[in-house]
Amino acid sequence: MDYTEKTFPLKNGKTCLIRRPEAADAERVLRYQKETSGETPYLVVGPEDIGLTVEEQAERIQRWNASSKRLRLMAEMDGEFAGVAIVYGSGVQSRVLHRCSVDITLYQKFCGMGIGTALLREILTAAKAAGYEQAELEVVSTNAPAVGLYKKLGFEAVGTMPRALKYQDGTYADFLLMVRTL
């Protein structure tokens, strides 16, 4: 998908740069994935699940950047990595080509500034321009800030997936399934 980097004003008076990651960002992306997955229980992956090498991550970034149906965007504030949003197709079968999945993560210290809103708006705009008609996501049902963000941007809850995540201590978390027409 095409994307031209942009800056956005934030609630704290600073600005946020949103751009595609490049292969040179691979080490930062891996560090970000390991750190954010350890900060919160709301992500599907834990730090132990991040196993790519820097080279493999660089190749993955290049593949995503070459795709007409996938997009990864990263946000930076004051040159510091703040968050990532991605969009990708829900499948290759002709009957699901109109649907896409979106994911967004932020470092906890950047939550509440407007970065997540800007990232998600940009991903949804790009998804619509790529021909998707419906965006879908799964969110841990107890993640009230994320659920609030998604509702603010037009997502509606359509169901729950019980026991979607199982933690190392044996407890579970349910997913709230959310959908938005583009």
Side-chain angles (χ1 to χ4, degrees):
M1 285 185 211
D2 291 328
Y3 188 78
T4 303
E5 70 178 47
K6 298 174 187 158
T7 57
F8 295 88
L10 300 175
K11 294 176 185 178
N12 62 4
K14 296 188 177 199
T15 59
C16 167
L17 171 68
I18 296 181
R19 66 177 179 87
R20 282 197 223 209
E22 298 296 332
D25 295 308
E27 187 174 347
R28 289 176 76 198
V29 170
L30 282 174
R31 185 172 46 252
Y32 168 81
Q33 290 172 335
K34 287 178 184 175
E35 291 172 354
T36 55
S37 64
E39 279 187 332
T40 176
Y42 297 134
L43 303 180
V44 172
V45 298
E48 67 278 0
D49 297 317
I50 311 298
L52 294 179
T53 66
V54 173
E55 295 77 19
E56 290 168 333
Q57 182 64 44
E59 290 172 12
R60 188 177 197 192
I61 290 169
Q62 289 173 327
R63 281 194 312 273
W64 273 71
N65 286 349
S67 174
S68 63
K69 289 297 199 178
R70 294 184 293 185
L71 180 64
R72 178 187 291 171
L73 296 177
M74 62 185 276
E76 295 175 304
M77 187 181 83
D78 294 336
E80 201 174 344
F81 203 131
V84 169
I86 62 174
V87 60
Y88 51 94
S90 294
V92 296
Q93 300 82 5
S94 62
R95 293 180 180 181
V96 297
L97 292 177
H98 66 290
R99 297 171 44 211
C100 65
S101 295
V102 298
D103 294 312
I104 182 171
T105 57
L106 297 175
Y107 275 120
Q108 293 299 299
K109 69 181 184 178
F110 291 107
C111 291
M113 296 180 185
I115 295 171
T117 299
L119 268 172
L120 196 53
R121 281 188 175 138
E122 289 299 290
I123 278 292
L124 293 172
T125 298
K128 184 174 182 174
Y132 291 118
E133 299 172 24
Q134 179 170 292
E136 304 166 1
L137 60 84
E138 299 170 336
V139 59
V140 172
S141 61
T142 57
N143 187 350
V147 172
L149 169 64
Y150 302 141
K151 286 182 177 180
K152 177 175 84 172
L153 293 181
F155 282 87
E156 295 179 28
V158 295
T160 303
M161 183 182 301
R163 299 166 47 119
L165 298 181
K166 183 177 181 181
Y167 299 112
Q168 290 180 348
D169 67 0
T171 61
Y172 297 91
D174 297 344
F175 273 160
L176 187 61
L177 309 174
M178 301 186 81
V179 174
R180 178 186 189 271
T181 301
L182 297 175

